Amino acid sequence: MKCGFCGHDMPPGTGKVFVRKTGKTVNFCSRKCEKSMLKLGRNPRKFKWTVASRTERLKRGVGKK
Ligand SMILES: [Zn+2]
């Protein structure tokens, strides 16, 4: 199971499941992720601690040695 915001793996049974109006479910590993997406409407790519931002940086080649 992966967190819908940060993309990190989380053990089944942990975190929180949110059901969207569309009927799709989103898992959140922590309240930080839940709040970031639902309340603040943040883009995961803009946050260093998310998998989305890491892949984004890799694509652009930033941080390569
Ligand atoms: Zn998360």
Side-chain angles (χ1 to χ4, degrees), residues 57-58 60-65:
R57 279 199 303 262
L58 281 174
R60 285 201 228 127
V62 181
K64 262 189 191 169
K65 278 179 188 172

Side-chain angles (χ1 to χ4, degrees), residues 23-42:
K24 279 190 179 176
T25 55
V26 194
N27 304 302
F28 294 111
C29 68
S30 63
R31 289 200 59 193
K32 182 170 82 171
C33 292
E34 185 192 349
K35 208 176 156 190
S36 295
M37 186 178 256
L38 301 179
K39 279 201 175 176
L40 306 169
R42 284 169 167 173

Side-chain angles (χ1 to χ4, degrees), residues 8-63:
H8 290 286
D9 272 319
M10 56 192 215
T14 62
K16 205 174 168 183
V17 180
F18 177 79
V19 184
R20 285 182 178 275
K21 283 177 199 162
T22 54
K24 279 190 179 176
T25 55
V26 194
N27 304 302
F28 294 111
C29 68
S30 63
R31 289 200 59 193
K32 182 170 82 171
C33 292
E34 185 192 349
K35 208 176 156 190
S36 295
M37 186 178 256
L38 301 179
K39 279 201 175 176
L40 306 169
R42 284 169 167 173
N43 185 341
R45 286 182 184 178
K46 287 183 180 167
F47 294 86
K48 278 192 285 187
W49 45 273
T50 66
V51 171
S53 81
R54 206 191 303 156
T55 46
E56 183 80 5
R57 279 199 303 262
L58 281 174
K59 263 193 260 167
R60 285 201 228 127
V62 181

